[in-house]
Amino acid sequence: MDLTSMLIKASDKDLLDGRLLFAIPKKGRLHDKCLELLSGADIQFRRPNRLDVCLVMNHPIAIVFLPAADIPSFVGNGDVDLGITGHDVILEAEMQDQVTEIHRLGFGKCALQVQTPEHGPFHSVEDLAGKRVVTSFDVIAGAYFAKIDERLNLTGDNKTKIQYVGGSVEAACALGLADGIESGDTMRAVGLHAIATVLQTEAVLIKSNVPHRAHYAPLIDLIASRIAGVVAADKYVVCEYNIRRQSISQATAITPGRRAPTISPLEEEGWVAISSMVEKKNIANTMDQLVKIGAEDILVFNMDNCRV
């Protein structure tokens, strides 16, 4: 059974003919950010009665709402053309060879960590080798500890035991069900601490490596470009200021921009105006450095969108 027949009535299948299918998480921590991202990319749709398929009004696209864990498989198998999910979800679904990560999106960031009781005997992952580890990420954890077992020459029953737990992972150590856990959640409140970071992850835009509808490639490129613009606009601000001409080299070292700053002469002799994109997280320190070299009239502008 294909995706179309799973999600809509047979009489409505023709509504999806000629439309690119774009999957986003139907709920969870990524859902709301995905809606903001699509709005910023001017992908207009309404979702009446929380339907699982919505038609985009200004592009030949249908938005498909799926569990985040299912999106890598649907995209990787070519049933869906584009998708947004977590980098960790792709690895856990073992679909990294079937999909291409087009862009990292800058939200949904977290660390997948190995955690143990704070006052317990395990202080490194090598201490856990051969013990019991419970996790909701048994594929990633299995691959991680398999390398450690191999390095320590652990074989057979001496290998690390990985046990899948769908929820209440943090309770496993307290109940004596495990010596350590692998989790993406903060566990300090239940007396656990991280002894290793397995993976840094975030939301990613993906496409299939075996697309069933190759003629959508130009539309995929267009949507990917728009989304990259929204992500960049959220990451950067535009910084403009005036400075004496003899200080240009110092100024451009502080604000080099993504490619190069824009430098324009002012009516007042010996002065120029400089405009540059600066990472939002660094803008306060950047302004302080500009003041120290004599910059004046420093202005900072947020961007709603851009193309980079």
Side-chain angles (χ1 to χ4, degrees):
M1 183 177 291
D2 65 15
L3 177 68
T4 302
S5 56
M6 288 173 57
L7 295 175
I8 63 175
K9 298 182 296 184
S11 60
D12 292 333
K13 284 185 182 180
D14 59 335
L15 293 175
L16 299 187
D17 286 347
R19 288 183 179 268
L20 178 146
L21 302 182
F22 191 165
I24 68 170
K26 64 190 304 180
K27 59 182 180 180
R29 61 191 177 92
L30 300 183
H31 174 77
D32 291 341
K33 293 295 294 184
C34 286
L35 296 184
E36 293 176 15
L37 187 65
L38 297 184
S39 176
D42 194 31
I43 298 174
Q44 302 172 15
F45 66 94
R46 296 188 181 92
R47 190 187 181 190
N49 303 317
R50 300 190 65 81
L51 294 177
D52 284 337
V53 177
C54 298
L55 303 183
V56 173
M57 295 178 286
N58 59 335
H59 294 284
I61 299 171
I63 304 298
V64 183
F65 295 88
L66 293 171
D70 293 342
I71 290 175
S73 296
F74 277 110
V75 176
N77 293 328
D79 298 313
V80 168
D81 306 290
L82 278 175
I84 294 176
T85 190
H87 172 67
D88 57 316
V89 179
I90 297 169
L91 298 179
E92 188 63 22
E94 299 182 273
M95 296 301 293
Q96 59 268 33
D97 294 330
Q98 280 70 51
V99 303
T100 295
E101 295 186 6
I102 304 174
H103 297 304
R104 294 208 163 201
L105 301 177
F107 60 84
K109 293 183 177 181
C110 70
L112 191 62
Q113 298 178 320
V114 180
Q115 304 194 3
T116 61
E118 195 163 7
H119 302 294
F122 306 109
H123 304 292
S124 70
V125 289
E126 286 75 17
D127 293 337
L128 275 178
K131 306 299 190 299
R132 297 168 299 170
V133 176
V134 298
T135 179
S136 299
F137 303 89
D138 54 322
V139 172
I140 295 174
Y144 180 78
F145 279 98
K147 293 179 181 178
I148 294 172
D149 289 346
E150 182 179 1
R151 191 170 73 242
L152 298 179
N153 297 316
L154 298 180
T155 59
D157 292 340
N158 293 322
K159 288 185 176 181
T160 307
K161 289 82 177 172
I162 306 296
Q163 180 180 345
Y164 174 80
V165 178
S168 301
V169 176
E170 67 275 12
C173 288
L175 295 174
L177 302 177
D179 300 301
I181 66 171
E182 191 198 43
S183 173
D185 300 321
T186 301
M187 298 295 182
R188 188 174 299 277
V190 291
L192 301 174
H193 72 134
I195 60 172
T197 295
V198 177
L199 181 71
Q200 296 284 353
T201 183
E202 64 183 284
V204 291
L205 176 68
I206 60 174
K207 66 178 181 180
S208 176
N209 289 343
V210 287
H212 292 177
R213 295 169 288 271
H215 60 283
Y216 287 135
L219 182 56
I220 289 174
D221 291 342
L222 174 67
I223 298 304
S225 175
R226 287 190 175 193
I227 287 176
V230 176
V231 172
D234 187 58
K235 182 178 180 181
Y236 291 91
V237 293
V238 175
C239 180
E240 295 185 355
Y241 56 93
N242 299 329
I243 197 162
R244 293 185 182 277
R245 185 174 291 278
Q246 63 262 33
S247 299
I248 287 178
S249 60
Q250 291 175 279
T252 55
I254 297 170
T255 58
R258 283 178 56 89
R259 185 180 301 276
T262 299
I263 303 175
S264 307
L266 295 181
E267 288 294 325
E268 184 173 348
E269 187 175 352
W271 284 78
V272 297
I274 296 180
S275 176
S276 182
M277 290 175 66
V278 177
E279 283 197 59
K280 191 176 294 185
K281 65 182 182 181
N282 298 328
I283 188 59
N285 288 333
T286 297
M287 294 172 73
D288 293 339
Q289 292 178 58
L290 290 173
V291 168
K292 288 180 180 179
I293 64 169
E296 298 181 5
D297 308 318
I298 303 172
L299 305 176
V300 175
F301 302 95
N302 286 319
M303 297 184 290
D304 291 328
N305 209 329
C306 66
R307 295 290 183 273
V308 293

